[in-house]
Amino acid sequence: MLFLYLLMLAVVFVPVISYGDSGLPQFQFGSRLLYTGTYGTDVSELQSILNSIGFSTGAIDGVFGNNTLNGVLAFQKAENLVADGIVGPNTYNAIQNASWENPVVYYVQPNDNIYFIAKKYGTSIQDILDENGLSDNASLYVGEKLLIPHPPVTVPQQLDNASNYQELKDNIETLLSQHTGNYGVYFIDLNSGETFDINGYDSFIAASTYKVPLNFYVYTLITEGKLDPNMEVQYTSQDYEGGSGSIQYDPVGTYYTIRELSKKSIEESDNIASNMLMRVVGYDNYLNFIESLGAYVIPYSDNVTSPRDLSIYMEDILNYANAHSSTAGELLSYLENTIYNDRISYPLPSNITVAHKIGNLSNVVNDTAIVFYTQKPYILTIMGNNVDGSDNSDAYTVIREISKMVYDFQGSH
């Protein structure tokens, strides 16, 4: 009788399952625990989401096997969850919060333009136009809904499985060997102080990354009371330089405060703003400042630096901003709000704060960043010289893949 009673209970509690065209049982995503051996449409959705945010589960087949288990474990470690391989309420919630949608839904804000939107999300103007069926001369209006392509970054599994920093470095070197160009990498774990580098002390063309130590110098002068952030500086014809930034569209003779120039120099990478700041502080004084920071590569004549030097500048800025938040905290905020998010920050979850500065020329693609990863913050500088500097070129792919490899490692160790 007891056996019959248990059998009746088992029958009562077997869920009613429907089967879709895929042949998989259909479950609403989040309606049950997922673990090794489960299968269904919700497992397919889990695999799709994890793959899209950079945690490979292999084929999307709806079956929770070893590849899916590895993807879940890597995600749980990256989010500082209990790494048990079981997708329960906490893991479901973290997946929903961490995932970049593709495409991203964006609503046009005042003073937006399509160039800034494209750089913010690491895509191209043409891709946005195509995604939304817009013409080349389309005008945007405030509140307009745009779909922004944001394809995920994937790294071969054999290169994303390091167990220590030496293996991580070796994997990055293997990745770089598969691409043309000259790359340099410098990494600092801000908790342990551990570092590794690849060509980290070599001289590289800085492009706009020189604006990091320049603005750091400006804010040390502000903090020391030697420079008034509200002092106005007049834009002269000698300051003009094309390329990035909005000041080039303003008339010569316009006045800007030091604070406004610094904000534009970092957030927009405005070349004219940077030239005006350099005119105020003096190039020789700027050189003396970076020498005092212990720079290995000094730009006496050419605009050069090294991955190591940029990383040290970023670490010094972080420490200085923590000590002088009322002044230098502004600089850190500018670095966190740059409009360019197409390199180191691109593959990272949208809830991770990144303070960084890019640099670009026709043959240069650089980025130096502080990644405020919960419990495991770090600094990463990646410089590419003798590469294709056009938007979303192979060099962007290389930087994004290295960034993902480092982020995944930090989350799993």
Side-chain angles (χ1 to χ4, degrees):
M1 291 294 293
L2 178 60
F3 172 78
L4 180 60
Y5 178 72
L6 291 174
L7 181 61
M8 290 173 63
L9 280 178
V11 172
V12 169
F13 284 99
V14 169
V16 176
I17 303 171
S18 63
Y19 288 79
D21 293 338
S22 65
L24 292 169
Q26 295 182 326
F27 294 96
Q28 182 178 354
F29 187 69
S31 65
R32 61 174 182 154
L33 295 178
L34 299 180
Y35 46 86
T36 300
T38 53
Y39 58 98
T41 55
D42 51 350
V43 176
S44 295
E45 186 169 352
L46 169 69
Q47 293 168 331
S48 177
I49 292 173
L50 289 177
N51 282 329
S52 73
I53 59 176
F55 298 90
S56 176
T57 64
I60 300 175
D61 57 8
V63 179
F64 198 127
N66 287 334
N67 288 335
T68 302
L69 174 62
N70 290 335
V72 169
L73 288 171
F75 175 79
Q76 290 174 328
K77 291 175 182 177
E79 293 296 314
N80 295 305
L81 300 170
V82 175
D84 56 8
I86 299 172
V87 181
N90 291 336
T91 301
Y92 276 122
N93 184 61
I95 287 172
Q96 298 291 352
N97 289 333
S99 62
W100 275 107
E101 296 178 18
N102 183 30
V104 175
V105 177
Y106 181 79
Y107 293 90
V108 177
Q109 303 298 309
N111 302 315
D112 264 345
N113 65 57
I114 199 164
Y115 173 80
F116 284 175
I117 295 171
K119 300 309 292 184
K120 177 179 177 67
Y121 288 98
T123 188
S124 69
I125 292 174
Q126 192 59 53
D127 284 346
I128 293 177
L129 296 176
D130 292 344
E131 183 75 27
N132 294 275
L134 300 174
S135 62
D136 291 346
N137 58 356
S139 298
L140 302 180
Y141 59 87
V142 174
E144 180 177 359
K145 178 182 176 180
L146 293 177
L147 300 179
I148 314 297
H150 197 277
V153 174
T154 58
V155 177
Q157 187 172 0
Q158 66 270 23
L159 295 181
D160 206 15
N161 59 359
S163 60
N164 54 59
Y165 284 127
Q166 182 59 53
E167 289 185 5
L168 177 59
K169 175 184 173 179
D170 292 344
N171 286 347
I172 294 172
E173 288 180 323
T174 298
L175 175 70
L176 292 176
S177 71
Q178 301 167 4
H179 298 268
T180 59
N182 181 31
Y183 288 93
V185 178
Y186 200 93
F187 167 87
I188 305 173
D189 183 305
L190 289 171
N191 285 343
S192 68
E194 289 188 73
T195 69
F196 70 81
D197 75 278
I198 300 168
N199 303 322
Y201 290 78
D202 291 357
S203 178
F204 284 80
I205 298 171
S208 286
T209 59
Y210 86 90
K211 296 166 187 174
V212 170
L214 169 61
N215 281 275
F216 185 20
Y217 181 41
V218 167
Y219 268 88
T220 60
L221 295 176
I222 290 172
T223 301
E224 293 168 2
K226 299 176 181 178
L227 185 63
D228 183 354
N230 298 311
M231 183 183 81
E232 293 190 333
V233 184
Q234 188 176 29
Y235 167 33
T236 71
S237 59
Q238 285 72 35
D239 298 316
Y240 178 81
E241 183 178 347
S244 57
S246 59
I247 292 181
Q248 61 185 307
Y249 305 110
D250 294 341
V252 170
T254 303
Y255 284 87
Y256 304 89
T257 66
I258 293 293
R259 178 178 284 112
E260 289 171 333
L261 292 174
S262 181
K263 181 180 175 70
K264 288 180 179 291
S265 173
I266 294 296
E267 292 190 1
E268 300 177 21
S269 198
D270 195 299
N271 292 325
I272 296 174
S274 305
N275 291 343
M276 293 170 69
L277 289 172
M278 190 69 80
R279 173 160 58 86
V280 170
V281 302
Y283 192 72
D284 288 342
N285 294 330
Y286 162 72
L287 291 180
N288 290 335
F289 174 73
I290 62 175
E291 286 179 342
S292 73
L293 298 178
Y296 274 73
V297 177
I298 309 297
Y300 293 114
S301 55
D302 298 323
N303 181 22
V304 291
T305 187
S306 72
R308 178 266 180 192
D309 290 348
L310 284 174
S311 297
I312 295 302
Y313 300 153
M314 294 296 276
E315 184 176 28
D316 287 347
I317 287 172
L318 178 61
N319 293 334
Y320 197 80
N322 287 336
H324 306 282
S325 59
S326 62
T327 52
E330 289 182 350
L331 176 56
L332 194 60
S333 176
Y334 300 157
L335 290 163
E336 292 173 359
N337 289 283
T338 173
I339 66 170
Y340 300 96
N341 289 297
D342 49 11
R343 287 160 233 195
I344 289 176
S345 59
Y346 180 93
L348 307 187
S350 54
N351 60 333
I352 299 294
T353 299
V354 181
H356 70 117
K357 181 72 190 76
I358 59 93
N360 251 81
L361 291 171
S362 62
N363 63 339
V364 173
V365 181
N366 300 332
D367 200 2
T368 183
I370 307 168
V371 179
F372 293 95
Y373 191 7
T374 307
Q375 307 301 325
K376 294 295 289 288
Y378 58 92
I379 290 173
L380 178 64
T381 298
I382 309 171
M383 307 188 75
N385 284 192
N386 301 316
V387 298
D388 178 2
S390 59
D391 284 351
N392 294 322
S393 67
D394 181 65
Y396 286 78
T397 300
V398 170
I399 292 177
R400 293 170 182 178
E401 290 180 350
I402 294 173
S403 176
K404 184 182 183 308
M405 292 166 70
V406 171
Y407 177 83
D408 289 351
F409 179 87
Q410 289 294 98
S412 59
H413 295 83

